[in-house]
Amino acid sequence: MLIKLARPRVLALIEDGTGVPFAPAGRTFREWLAVPDPDPMLWRALLSEALTFAGGTAPAGGDGFAGFGTEGFAFLAGLERDNSKAFADQHRAVYRDALAEPSKAFVVAAGARLAERVAPGVRGEPRVGGSLFRLANDLRFQPGRPPYKTHLDLVFWAGVGGPRTDPGLVIRLTAAEVLLGAGVPALSGARLRRYRECLRDADRVTALDRAVEPVLAAGGELSEPSRVRVPAGIEPAGPAARYAVRDGLYVTRRQPLPSEVTTPAFVGWCAEALVPFGPLLRWLVAAVATAGPAVRTRRTPPAAGTR
């Protein structure tokens, strides 16, 4: 029997002797497992697991995600010291096996848990352009940036516009930290006007404060302002001013990497850690969801305190 599963799961099944690599003509298919011995009960279980993987869903318990590899974080630390193509190419297999492939299984497992614990309607897609980002920076639009990211970003969004425009939850893994947060990328047009209308409503601003303040009190940060002056119609000294100078708003919090990051328990750890961001996400969805279709941009969710 040949089945397709997440790479970490394939490796685990090979290690415990359940299956062997699928390598026709000497080429190994990394997400495929060959199970040579007929075993009806085992085959039914594995086929069910493969159908779940192919359908982009997974049980809330994190099945299929085995944890990120410790060598992946060593790779990110190495990129901080040597952000060169030579270093990245030399360690590309480490990045793939310890970070990129596990991130797909993580997105599948975490998407269901976040929708259950943080905000209904949140979803993730285990692909670049969905919840995942490429390792290389696009230097065509920001030539001053380093060639490669020194972090792994994961995003889960709520809406129909897509992960690069809709409000969402963000998880950023670095060599030593995990950054968690919620927000919305830079708004424009009807969505920006709707956002500012909400900031002119005292009750809505009070609700936004109630969503933001507990996270800030726990060590969170607001993303950098995108403009110098407060837009017309909003009192510069009023409570809405700090939000109005941000056309896109993120609130994030940094924590040391937990020991769970290398285990399946990281799914549940992230879900619990993101619960405090749920009120902000729900506020943003209500604020911008009725403003019509979004204009797609190339912007990545910014980390608090960075430009």
Side-chain angles (χ1 to χ4, degrees):
M1 181 177 71
L2 299 176
I3 54 171
K4 186 174 185 179
L5 296 168
R7 177 61 176 168
R9 180 62 170 148
V10 170
L11 291 172
L13 290 169
I14 292 172
E15 185 174 346
D16 69 17
T18 300
V20 297
F22 177 52
R27 177 190 174 193
T28 300
F29 287 73
R30 305 183 61 79
E31 292 187 332
W32 286 87
L33 180 76
V35 186
D37 298 327
D39 182 334
M41 185 176 295
L42 173 64
W43 282 21
R44 278 194 296 269
L46 290 175
L47 283 170
S48 175
E49 190 175 338
L51 284 169
T52 298
F53 176 68
T57 61
D63 293 27
F65 174 67
F68 291 101
T70 55
E71 61 272 28
F73 299 102
F75 166 72
L76 293 177
L79 271 182
E80 292 176 358
R81 297 188 299 268
D82 181 3
N83 200 279
S84 67
K85 185 177 186 300
F87 181 88
D89 287 347
Q90 182 182 357
H91 298 87
R92 194 164 296 276
V94 171
Y95 166 73
R96 179 188 61 217
D97 294 343
L99 295 175
E101 292 299 328
S103 69
K104 297 176 186 177
F106 176 84
V107 166
V108 172
R113 184 69 70 89
L114 293 174
E116 173 189 321
R117 292 288 293 122
V118 183
V122 170
R123 64 193 183 99
E125 294 181 7
R127 60 179 179 85
V128 172
S131 295
L132 309 179
F133 296 81
R134 299 187 188 280
L135 177 64
N137 283 316
D138 192 339
L139 302 182
R140 295 174 299 171
F141 301 95
Q142 293 178 299
R145 302 176 73 185
Y148 299 96
K149 302 177 182 71
T150 58
H151 55 261
L152 181 73
D153 275 343
L154 305 163
V155 61
F156 300 83
W157 69 99
V160 297
R164 307 304 185 260
T165 58
D166 284 332
L169 302 168
V170 295
I171 300 171
R172 170 171 291 184
L173 299 176
T174 73
E177 293 182 324
V178 56
L179 177 145
L180 302 160
V184 65
L187 299 164
S188 62
R191 288 158 57 90
L192 181 58
R193 289 193 294 273
R194 171 65 177 163
Y195 174 67
R196 289 177 178 171
E197 287 171 9
C198 292
L199 296 182
R200 296 184 182 101
D201 183 318
D203 290 339
R204 285 180 176 267
V205 174
T206 298
L208 180 56
D209 278 337
R210 284 200 298 266
V212 169
E213 282 302 330
V215 181
L216 297 183
E221 304 172 80
L222 281 171
S223 53
E224 292 288 336
S226 52
R227 56 182 61 245
V228 176
R229 295 184 177 83
V230 176
I234 297 176
E235 173 57 46
R242 63 173 173 173
Y243 307 119
V245 294
R246 294 166 168 86
D247 293 348
L249 172 67
Y250 278 88
V251 179
T252 58
R253 184 185 174 198
R254 301 173 188 273
Q255 300 182 53
L257 277 179
S259 59
E260 290 89 345
V261 75
T262 59
T263 75
F266 189 56
V267 172
W269 186 93
C270 284
E272 293 304 314
L274 283 167
V275 166
F277 295 90
L280 172 59
L281 178 61
R282 293 190 289 273
W283 190 96
L284 289 169
V285 169
V288 304
T290 59
V295 177
R296 292 191 176 274
T297 71
R298 294 181 178 269
R299 296 188 63 162
T300 332
T306 62
R307 293 185 181 272

